[in-house]
Amino acid sequence: MRRSHFIRSLPGLALGGSLAAGAAQAVGSLRILVPANPGGGWDTTARAFGKALLDSGGASSVHYDNKGGAAGAIGLAQFINSRKGDPQALLMMGSVMLGGIITTKPPVSLSQATPLARLANEYNVFVLPANSPFKSMNELLAQLQKDPASVKWGGGSRGSTEHIAAALIARAVGVDPNRLQFLPFRGGGEATAAVLGGNITVGGSGYSEFAESIQSGRMRAIAVTSPQRLKGLEVPTLKELGLPVEIGNWRGLYGAPGITPEQRQGLIEQIVTATRHRSWQELLDKHRWTPALLTGDAFSQFVDEEFSSLRLTLIKSGLL
């Protein structure tokens, strides 16, 4: 088994399966189910990619349905139960959903839907409110070692990349991850409000969710989970700080259960065409996302490997 891309997602444009000759043809209206509340990473990615689909001619219109809760499991269930055989339905998903499925064991399975493509990888950034008494990750970790209960971490659902990262950080500085005070939120909007309102000590999420607050000075970014510093963001990586933690949050698309192989291939072609459009490339740069295209059966195999790798990571971080 190759090394998991969940922990070390390699940039690139690896394509699984062959694409039919010629440009992808528009299929009319597409509907993307976003298994999270508006304003979070999945929602931002879905709407950004929907724009790329429109701009590239892959769709004449794109509609969005938000259904948050249980790390995406509620939205997954709705998608599976209501979109069977629908070739114009897409599900936004990613590593957080896999973590949610492992930790919550919902009555539906991701394998019931049709894997299409991984789109991009986003690394987490940890932030403090501007008025925090802590000025750096090192100061925060000194307090965590002194009194774990006094440091409230906020981020995505249980099993999310920021939750895992926080647990791995705690373990690295000698704190039992089970003593970590982690508060899960259903979307980036809730997490942002909690940081700015002083309801948590430190927040973790994808850069795109905190970007506006960081740029306006209302939040102070103190560390990122990427292998190198993110372009345009002079914030140290956890590895620079001596913490052996590197973790990425990839996102992708699934099709409805029961679509035909031809319908699946048509959707993959449209997705690939959209990723090559300038519109998508500009959004990758804007949100500090790393391109990580992987399609078809290769993507399906990747997801299977991610389930195994993520389960081991959750055990290592004390969350399972």
Side-chain angles (χ1 to χ4, degrees), residues 164-165 168-169 172 224-226 237-239 243-247:
I164 294 171
L168 291 173
I169 290 169
V224 292
T225 64
S226 52
T237 67
L238 291 170
K239 286 192 170 183
L243 302 166
V245 180
E246 177 187 321
I247 189 167

Side-chain angles (χ1 to χ4, degrees), residues 69-317:
I74 293 176
L76 173 63
Q78 177 173 306
F79 184 76
I80 288 172
N81 293 328
S82 66
R83 293 294 176 182
K84 186 175 182 179
D86 184 350
Q88 295 174 301
L90 297 173
L91 171 71
M92 177 57 58
M93 52 74 67
S95 55
V96 171
M97 180 177 285
L98 271 58
I101 290 171
I102 292 170
T103 56
T104 65
K105 300 178 181 178
V108 294
S109 169
L110 184 60
S111 63
Q112 293 174 260
T114 304
L116 298 176
R118 184 185 65 189
L119 299 176
N121 190 61
E122 180 173 35
Y123 292 100
N124 294 134
V125 58
F126 287 102
V127 299
L128 304 171
N131 62 354
S132 171
F134 307 110
K135 304 303 179 185
S136 67
M137 176 61 82
N138 285 335
E139 289 186 13
L140 180 77
L141 294 182
Q143 179 63 28
L144 179 69
Q145 291 173 305
K146 179 181 177 182
D147 182 8
S150 68
V151 179
K152 294 181 179 179
W153 300 72
S157 57
R158 176 177 170 80
S160 63
T161 52
E162 53 267 34
H163 187 197
I164 294 171
L168 291 173
I169 290 169
R171 183 177 292 278
V173 297
V175 174
D176 183 349
N178 291 316
R179 298 183 66 192
L180 202 67
Q181 301 297 308
F182 186 86
L183 303 178
F185 295 100
R186 293 176 295 178
E190 288 186 4
T192 297
V195 173
L196 298 178
N199 299 317
I200 56 178
T201 313
V202 55
S205 190
Y207 171 77
S208 62
E209 299 186 32
F210 291 150
E212 183 179 344
S213 296
I214 293 172
Q215 292 166 6
S216 68
R218 293 185 297 166
M219 288 183 185
R220 183 188 308 115
I222 56 172
V224 292
T225 64
S226 52
Q228 294 89 31
R229 293 193 180 198
L230 296 180
K231 182 180 178 181
L233 187 65
E234 288 304 310
V235 177
T237 67
L238 291 170
K239 286 192 170 183
E240 284 182 69
L241 300 175
L243 302 166
V245 180
E246 177 187 321
I247 189 167
N249 181 12
W250 59 267
R251 300 189 181 110
L253 291 168
Y254 265 56
I259 59 174
T260 68
E262 294 76 19
Q263 290 169 335
R264 181 196 189 199
Q265 187 61 26
L267 287 170
I268 290 173
E269 291 177 20
Q270 290 166 252
I271 290 169
V272 171
T273 299
T275 63
R276 292 172 176 163
H277 195 275
R278 182 177 64 183
S279 173
W280 179 243
Q281 299 300 318
E282 290 175 347
L283 288 164
L284 288 173
D285 290 340
K286 175 183 177 182
H287 295 299
R288 311 294 200 277
W289 295 337
T290 302
L293 183 63
L294 190 69
T295 67
D297 292 342
F299 174 53
S300 180
Q301 180 182 353
F302 165 81
V303 172
D304 289 343
E305 292 176 359
E306 285 293 270
F307 267 115
S308 298
S309 178
L310 180 55
R311 187 181 299 277
L312 291 175
T313 303
L314 286 165
I315 292 171
K316 177 183 176 182
S317 58

Side-chain angles (χ1 to χ4, degrees), residues 22-52:
Q25 299 297 312
V27 298
S29 177
L30 291 176
R31 183 171 291 276
I32 302 177
L33 192 147
V34 184
N37 291 350
W42 276 338
D43 187 62
T44 301
T45 306
R47 293 174 191 275
F49 196 71
K51 182 179 186 303

